[in-house]
Every structure is written in structure tokens, then in C-alpha cells.
């Protein structure tokens, strides 16, 4: 045994040194990555980010994703009282009506926020009774507001001369000289099915489902099922009809772009393949064109095209089309160069023309490769179409960026996000199914 | 013989091979033809719908297609002396764009590597988690970067970090799936050997699986880096910093600063081409070992 260890000592030396090198490399890679992250940390100013981050915005966003609020506001000058869901005109309760937790009496309004929190608006001003703390009383005096509340003031009461804001778990209360406003929060998305002006609002799911086909007509003019479908589809708050159309438009952009690019690049790929085109300069030129188209990037094509064609889904489809011509041209011509020449030979021996050779000798060989490529792109382009749509102004991407830019309709953002995820997953499984069906013939 | 007397049963293939072949061929052609008609019809009607919803007309647009680029390039040509300086000035924001792409690819790839080991049948640590993790990565992959980026811009303010996080999330989803497909084909014998000497799960993965899958994983990560450079340029255009943002500012200025547009465009184009070339070469080397 000793002999076998001792004897190859000379032979093991290079192996051992190679091992040492590899161990060093194995340590160096994490070290380099770590150093790079340290550089990024400094370069992106991540330390300063903690201060710049608006955590209150994050709280608003997350709360809005899963809940909604109802505003009960009084104009202090005219005395008019309005209840509105999310404070939007579309969600305003019809004249003189209010949610059942708001009691309107001739001289005062009592708002029950639940859990013992009660807000009262009266002629002298407003009061907020917070359980466990006491009564917050606000009345306008001279040019400012006079606040009476148990001292010391907690940090959830924010008071200045012209404005008092109280934020509790039950809701939010704001008093300014012109207006007093109370928010009460509720779980869930508001008016998702029917808006307040629909006769089906607030009827309860079981009652509506039970009376879907039979039962008394809630709206005498329409059958229940038709009325419900119409009111849901034309919901002014959520615009389900428009959203469905936008999703369709996005898929349309991806579909037209991907297949249009495939149709255009197939003949070009023949011209760029070594075994079909003997003119080297043409091949070279075409390849550079493909490289150029790919290199210019979808963003720039999108900008150039939207200048020429104006905003809309066709512009988006063309942007996807042009970008994909570069990728398809490259991969298609590579697939064509890798075909088995024997089949072409066989077709040629029957006296077939060049077109027939391509049709019967080449296409059947490359179809599976090309088709799987195209279907893969179809799926990935559905996602790109969302982004392209945001830039050219079409489809769900546009609705999404608009909803984000208003910075208050986050529940709609959440809704669109869910729909986009579902849409992409659907396209993913659809293209996978089609691929199996067409290629493997299952 | 019954067939001879009564003819073939309905739906049954004809008896002779030639007839059977022709029968099949006819059916195939019929299906193919129907599919083609359906495809052409949906392309045509889809195009018409898209054109109707579009602000500009297709044929009008085609004539105007060259207007904007020629306007831009004409102006840039007049001021061609400015180009080198402007290109140099665009380099810092270019570096930011590439950094966004590189950092997000690294983060995404590292997380994806870990997740993919946990969601591959046969080597997962907790097999019950496999379907859960797969759905999670599916959702990450399905979410376009722009959605996350815009929401993060609302919270964190504009800049590179929202884009980095958004692209990293998407990269995690995309690479997680590809990595796990590679790991599925890994040879399980090294794991058996390692577990027989008492190696922990982490050691089994590190010494048994990672060396097998590393070349393919790296090649996928490089491809993703290429894609992410483009994505980070696009996200810049919606306000997430980098060269896309510079381009947007210059474009909004309109005439008078087209030389800057061309300079940024050239820098971006050259970078994308160089990165494509390098990653092409690198991937070939990784996969073929040459």
C-alpha cells in the first residue's frame, strides 16, 4: 500500500495543484459576487433608500389592495352631507341616502365606525368619541379651529391651526374649515359586481343566484340574468367590459406580431441559409439586417413606429413584429442549415422544382423546430405586449399604467395584475397544448 | 371478406394500403386546409380590428415610417461634431442600465438556483413543497416587470432599485423553471453516493448536483442577462432610471436635441450588440466545452 502512495507522488502533483486552483476559483467566485453587490449597494444608494422610501405609501397601497373606504363628508359652508365609496363620483350614494351606519337627524349626523368609535357632526362643529381615550371636540372659532381633547395629545392626532386629522384603527377623521370628512374602512373590493345605481346592488349573493333564472324580476324591464349580466359588464367603477376588451387587444397584439413575424421571416430565412442561397453577399447582408433589427431593441422600434402610426394596438403589433423578425430570421435560418439533405435529395430525384423541394423536402423537417419557437415567442410576447401597450397606448398595459398613475385606484391595479397573471398563464398552457398537439400529434 | 361483400364499415379505413394512404392524406389535407383558412381569417380580421382601434392608418403610417428617423438623423448629421461628446456623456447612465441588468440577473439566478433544487422531483428537500414553489415561480414569471416597477416607484421613488427588484423577480421565475428542467435531467447516482457517506442535503446538492448542471445554468443565466439589459432599458423609459430615462427626456424635448437621441441610441445599440456577441460566445463555450 505504501508503495502505491509513494510511487505516484510525482504524478499527483499536477492534480493537486489543479485542485488547489479550483478551490481558489471556488472561493474567488463568491468573493467577486460579494464585491459586486457591495459596489451596487453604494452605487444605487441603497442605504439612502431607507429614508427616501415612503412607507406610508406602501401601507396605502397594501390596504387598498384588499380593502376599500367609504367617505362621509360634510361641506361646512353649505352643510350638504355626501356619502361616497372611495370618494368617487361613480360611487356616490344617491341624494339623501347613506349607508346604514350613518344616522342623519335634522340637526346632527351620527357616524358609527364600529367598536365604540362614534363621530358626530353637528352645527357647532364635530366630535369624535374614541373608546379608551375620550372625546375629541372640534369647533371653528374665528379664523381657526379650536380643539378640545384629553391632554397630552397622542401622536395619532395631528392638529394645526387649520386642520385636525385623527387616525385610528376604526377609520380616519379630518376636519378643515371648509370640510369635515370621515373614512370607514371595509374589507374587500367595493362594488365589484354592481354599482350603487344598479337595482341588483346589495341584494346578497344567494338571493341573486336563487332568482337568476326564475323568481320575481328585480328590475321589471329586464329578465334577472340579462339585467345582472348587463349591469356587471357595464359596471362604471370597474369597467369589466373595457377590461375584457383590453385583454383581448393585448393578446391580439401578441398574436399578430408573432405570427406576422414568422410569416415574413420564413422566406427571408431561406435566403439567409447557406444551403439554399449560394450568393454569399446576400446571405451576409440579410444576417446583418437580422442582427441590426434585434440589436436596435423593441423599445426603439416601438418609439419610431408610434410616431408613424399613432397610438393603438396595431402599432404595438408592428413593434413586436419587427423585433421578432430579427430573432426568427436568425433561428429559422440556423434550423434550415441543420436539415438532413437526404430528404431534399430524394425529392429532387423525382424532378421536383426548387419550390417543391422546399415544400416537401425541407418544410416537414423544420416545422416542429419553427413551430415550437413561434409558440414559445407567442407566450413571451403576451407579456411584452403588456409593456409595449403601456408605451404605445393600447390594451391592458395602458389601463394598468393609467391606474397606477392616478396613485389611488390600487384595487384596480391589483385586479389588473391578477388578470395579467391569469392571461399569461393561460397563454402559456395554451401554447404548450398547441405545441404538443401539432408537433407530437397527440 | 365481410368487407368485400358489404363494403367497409363507416369510419373504418379502406382495405388496401394505397387507398388507406390516400384516405389519410385527404383527411390531413382537409384538416391542414381548415387550419390554414382559420389562421388566415383570424390574422386578417385581427389586423382589421387592430387597425380600426389604432389612431393612425396602416398605409398612411407606412409612408410616414421614414419621416421621424430621417428627421432625427438629418439633425444629428448636421451636429455630428457633438456626437462623440454626447455619447461619452451617456456612458454613466448606460453603466447604470447594465448594472441594473447584471445585479438583477445575479440575484435572480442565485434565488432561482436555490428554488429550482427545491422544486425538482427526486432531489427536493421537502417534496410536498414542489407544487407550491412551482405555482409561485409561475406567478413570478407571468408578472411583467413593468407592473412591479411602477408600483415600487410609487413606494421607493424613481431610480435604479425598483427596476432591479422588478427584473430580479421576473428573472427568478423564468430561470427557476429552466434551472429545474436542467436539474431534472441530472444523474442521481452522485447524490446516492454522497448520501451513503452521510452528506447533508446541502452537501449533496453542492457536490452532487451543482457540478453537473453548472454549465447549462450559466448558459441560461447569460441568455437572461442579454434579455435583462433590454428590459432595463425599457423600464428606464417608464421612469426607472438608466439610459432609457435619458432617452425619454431627450425625446420629449423634441427637435433640437435629436443629436442626443442619436448618441444615446448608438451607445445602447453598440452595447446590446457587444453583450449579445459575448454571451453568444460564452454560451457556446459552456455548452460544447470548447
Amino acid at each position: 500500500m505504501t508503495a502505491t502512495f509513494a510511487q505516484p507522488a510525482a504524478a499527483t502533483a499536477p492534480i493537486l495543484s489543479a485542485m488547489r486552483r479550483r478551490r481558489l476559483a471556488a472561493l474567488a467566485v463568491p468573493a467577486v459576487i460579494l464585491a459586486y453587490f457591495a459596489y451596487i449597494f453604494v452605487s444605487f444608494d441603497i442605504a439612502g433608500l431607507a429614508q427616501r422610501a415612503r412607507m406610508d405609501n406602501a401601507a396605502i397601497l397594501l390596504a387598498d389592495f384588499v380593502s376599500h373606504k367609504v367617505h362621509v363628508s360634510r361641506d361646512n359652508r353649505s352643510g350638504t352631507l355626501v356619502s361616497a365609496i372611495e370618494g368617487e363620483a361613480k360611487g356616490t350614494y344617491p341624494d339623501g341616502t347613506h349607508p346604514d351606519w350613518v344616522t342623519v337627524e335634522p340637526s346632527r349626523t351620527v357616524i358609527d365606525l364600529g367598536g365604540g368609535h362614534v363621530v358626530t357632526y353637528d352645527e357647532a362643529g364635530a366630535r369624535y368619541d374614541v373608546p379608551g381615550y375620550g372625546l375629541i371636540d372640534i369647533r371653528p372659532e374665528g379664523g381657526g379651529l379650536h380643539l378640545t381633547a384629553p391632554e397630552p395629545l397622542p401622536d395619532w392626532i395631528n392638529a394645526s391651526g387649520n386642520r385636525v386629522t385623527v387616525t385610528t384603527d376604526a377609520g380616519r377623521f379630518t376636519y378643515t374649515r371648509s370640510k369635515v370628512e370621515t373614512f370607514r374602512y371595509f374589507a374587500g373590493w367595493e362594488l365589484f359586481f354592481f354599482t350603487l345605481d344598479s337595482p341588483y346592488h346589495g341584494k346578497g349573493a344567494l338571493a341573486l343566484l336563487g332568482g337568476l333564472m326564475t323568481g320575481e324580476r328585480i328590475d321589471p324591464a329586464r329578465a334577472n340574468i340579462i339585467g345582472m349580466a348587463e349591469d356587471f359588464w357595464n359596471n362604471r367603477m370597474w369597467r369589466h367590459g373595457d377590461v375584457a376588451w383590453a385583454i383581448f387587444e393585448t393578446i391580439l397584439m401578441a398574436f399578430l406580431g408573432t405570427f406576422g413575424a414568422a410569416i415574413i421571416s420564413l422566406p427571408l430565412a431561406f435566403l439567409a441559409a447557406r444551403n439554399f442561397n449560394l450568393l454569399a453577399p446576400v446571405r451576409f447582408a440579410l444576417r446583418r439586417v437580422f442582427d441590426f433589427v434585434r440589436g436596435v431593441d423593441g423599445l426603439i422600434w416601438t418609439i419610431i413606429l408610434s410616431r408613424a402610426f399613432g397610438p393603438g394596438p396595431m402599432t404595438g403589433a408592428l413593434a413586436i413584429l419587427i423585433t421578432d423578425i430579427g430573432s426568427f430570421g436568425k433561428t429559422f435560418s440556423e434550423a434550415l442549415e441543420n436539415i438532413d439533405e437526404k430528404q431534399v435529395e430524394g425529392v429532387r430525384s423525382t424532378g421536383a422544382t426548387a419550390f417543391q423541394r422546399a415544400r416537401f423536402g425541407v418544410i416537414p423537417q423544420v416545422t416542429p423546430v419553427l413551430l415550437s419557437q413561434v409558440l414559445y415567442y407567442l407566450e413571451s410576447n403576451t407579456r411584452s405586449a403588456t409593456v409595449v401597450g403601456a408605451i404605445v397606448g393600447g390594451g391592458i398595459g395602458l389601463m394598468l399604467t393609467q391606474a397606477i398613475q392616478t396613485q389611488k385606484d390600487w384595487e384596480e391595479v391589483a385586479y389588473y395584475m391578477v388578470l395579467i397573471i391569469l392571461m399569461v398563464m393561460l397563454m402559456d398552457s395554451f401554447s404548450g397544448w398547441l405545441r404538443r398537439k401539432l408537433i407530437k400529434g397527440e | 371478406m365481410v368487407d368485400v361483400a358489404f363494403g367497409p364499415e363507416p369510419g373504418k379505413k379502406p382495405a388496401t394500403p394505397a387507398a388507406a394512404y390516400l384516405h389519410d392524406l385527404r383527411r390531413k389535407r382537409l384538416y391542414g386546409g381548415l387550419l390554414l383558412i382559420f389562421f388566415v381569417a383570424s390574422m386578417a380580421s385581427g389586423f382589421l380590428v387592430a387597425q380600426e382601434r389604432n389612431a393612425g392608418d396602416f398605409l398612411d403610417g407606412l409612408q410616414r415610417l421614414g419621416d421621424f428617423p430621417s428627421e432625427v438623423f438629418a439633425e444629428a448629421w448636421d451636429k455630428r461634431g457633438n456626437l462623440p461628446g454626447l455619447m461619452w456623456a451617456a456612458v454613466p447612465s448606460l453603466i447604470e442600465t447594465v448594472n441594473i441588468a447584471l445585479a438583477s440577473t445575479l440575484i435572480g439566478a442565485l434565488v432561482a438556483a436555490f428554488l429550482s433544487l427545491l422544486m425538482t422531483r427526486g432531489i427536493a428537500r421537502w417534496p410536498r413543497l414542489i407544487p407550491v414553489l412551482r405555482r409561485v415561480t409561475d406567478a413570478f414569471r407571468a408578472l411583467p416587470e413593468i407592473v412591479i416597477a411602477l408600483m415600487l416607484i410609487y413606494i421607493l421613488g424613481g431610480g435604479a432599485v425598483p427596476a432591479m427588484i422588478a427584473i430580479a423577480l421576473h428573472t427568478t421565475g423564468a430561470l427557476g423553471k429552466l434551472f429545474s428542467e436542467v436539474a431534472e435531467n441530472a444523474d442521481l447516482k452522485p447524490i446516492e453516493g454522497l448520501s451513503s457517506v452521510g452528506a447533508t442535503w446541502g452537501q449533496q446538492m453542492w457536490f452532487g448536483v451543482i457540478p453537473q448542471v453548472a454549465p447549462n445554468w450559466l448558459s441560461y443565466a447569460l441568455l437572461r442577462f442579454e434579455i435583462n439589459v433590454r428590459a432595463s432599458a425599457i423600464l428606464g423609459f417608464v421612469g426607472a432610471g438608466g439610459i432609457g430615462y435619458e432617452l425619454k427626456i431627450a425625446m420629449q424635448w423634441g427637435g433640437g436635441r435629436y443629436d442626443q437621441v442619436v448618441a444615446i441610441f448608438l451607445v445602447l445599440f453598440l452595447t446590446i450588440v457587444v453583450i449579445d456577441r459575448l454571451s453568444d460566445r460564452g454560451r457556446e463555450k459552456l455548452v460544447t466545452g470548447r
Side-chain angles (χ1 to χ4, degrees), chain B residues 38-54:
Chain B
F38 172 73
F39 177 72
V40 170
S42 47
M43 282 292 282
S45 57
F47 177 77
L48 290 177
V49 169
Q51 169 160 358
E52 194 188 322
R53 302 274 298 181
N54 216 60

Side-chain angles (χ1 to χ4, degrees), chain A residues 36 54 245 249 297 308 312, chain B residues 53-55 64 99 155 230:
Chain A
Y36 180 70
R54 302 273 313 270
W245 178 258
E249 224 172 60
D297 197 72
Chain B
R53 302 274 298 181
N54 216 60
R64 274 185 280 126
N99 267 337
I155 298 173
R230 290 148 191 265

Side-chain angles (χ1 to χ4, degrees), chain B residues 42-287:
Chain B
S42 47
M43 282 292 282
S45 57
F47 177 77
L48 290 177
V49 169
Q51 169 160 358
E52 194 188 322
R53 302 274 298 181
N54 216 60
D57 185 66
F58 180 67
L59 292 176
D60 288 352
L62 268 191
Q63 289 158 10
R64 274 185 280 126
L65 191 56
D67 291 359
F68 178 60
S70 59
E71 187 188 337
V72 169
F73 281 109
E75 192 187 315
W77 183 250
D78 287 343
K79 301 186 197 162
R80 57 189 174 277
N82 294 345
L83 278 184
L86 285 170
M87 281 171 77
W88 183 248
V91 166
S93 54
L94 174 77
I95 291 178
E96 190 176 19
T97 293
V98 174
N99 267 337
I100 292 172
L102 188 57
S104 55
T105 311
L106 268 175
I107 297 173
L110 289 176
V111 178
F114 184 65
L115 283 182
S116 70
L117 292 176
L118 287 178
M119 61 183 207
T120 307
R121 258 176 239 105
I123 61 178
R125 180 81 177 78
W126 301 283
R128 293 229 176 123
L129 273 183
I130 293 176
V132 181
L133 288 173
R134 292 206 167 190
R135 289 296 86 74
V136 170
T137 46
D138 279 354
F140 278 1
R141 196 170 55 247
L143 209 55
E145 292 108 342
I146 192 168
V147 180
I148 308 278
L150 285 174
M151 283 200 306
L152 287 175
I153 287 173
Y154 175 61
I155 298 173
L156 301 178
V161 179
M164 184 181 79
I165 298 174
I167 300 177
L169 275 181
H170 182 76
T171 305
T172 305
L175 285 183
K177 184 186 181 202
L178 292 171
F179 281 8
S180 143
E181 274 167 13
V182 174
E184 242 161 39
N185 295 325
D187 187 3
L188 294 184
K189 291 205 187 81
I191 302 181
E192 262 172 47
L194 284 164
S195 68
S196 73
V197 297
T200 61
W201 182 78
Q203 288 167 330
Q204 289 171 29
M205 294 302 114
W206 186 249
F207 296 107
V209 180
I210 302 282
Q212 292 187 56
V213 295
N216 278 321
W217 279 13
L218 272 177
S219 138
Y220 278 133
L222 270 179
L223 185 66
R224 199 70 224 175
F225 174 58
E226 259 179 67
I227 298 170
N228 283 348
V229 173
R230 290 148 191 265
S232 96
I234 290 192
L235 283 187
F237 207 77
V238 296
I243 199 155
Y245 188 65
E246 299 286 318
L247 184 63
K248 186 186 182 172
I249 298 287
M251 296 260 314
Q252 274 172 349
W253 195 269
R257 270 171 72 175
Y258 281 149
D259 47 342
Q260 196 186 0
V261 171
V262 170
I264 293 173
F265 165 80
L266 280 177
V267 170
L268 185 62
F269 176 67
L270 288 178
T271 313
I272 287 178
V273 169
V274 167
I275 288 177
D276 274 15
R277 276 289 153 81
L278 286 180
S279 111
D280 250 1
R281 185 121 0 123
R283 276 183 291 141
E284 203 168 278
K285 206 171 165 186
L286 281 169
V287 174

Side-chain angles (χ1 to χ4, degrees), chain A residues 235-257:
Chain A
N235 184 328
R236 280 185 305 144
M237 202 88 165
W238 290 87
R239 301 192 295 161
H240 297 291
D242 291 347
V243 172
W245 178 258
I247 294 253
F248 167 75
E249 224 172 60
T250 304
I251 295 178
L252 182 69
M253 280 195 264
F255 173 76
L256 285 179

Side-chain angles (χ1 to χ4, degrees), chain A residues 414-435:
Chain A
Y415 176 47
Y416 299 153
M417 271 166 56
V418 170
L419 286 179
I420 290 173
I421 293 184
L422 287 180
M423 173 184 79
V424 174
M425 283 182 168
L426 195 82
M427 288 302 281
D428 192 6
S429 45
F430 170 72
S431 77
W433 172 82
L434 207 61
R435 203 161 26 207

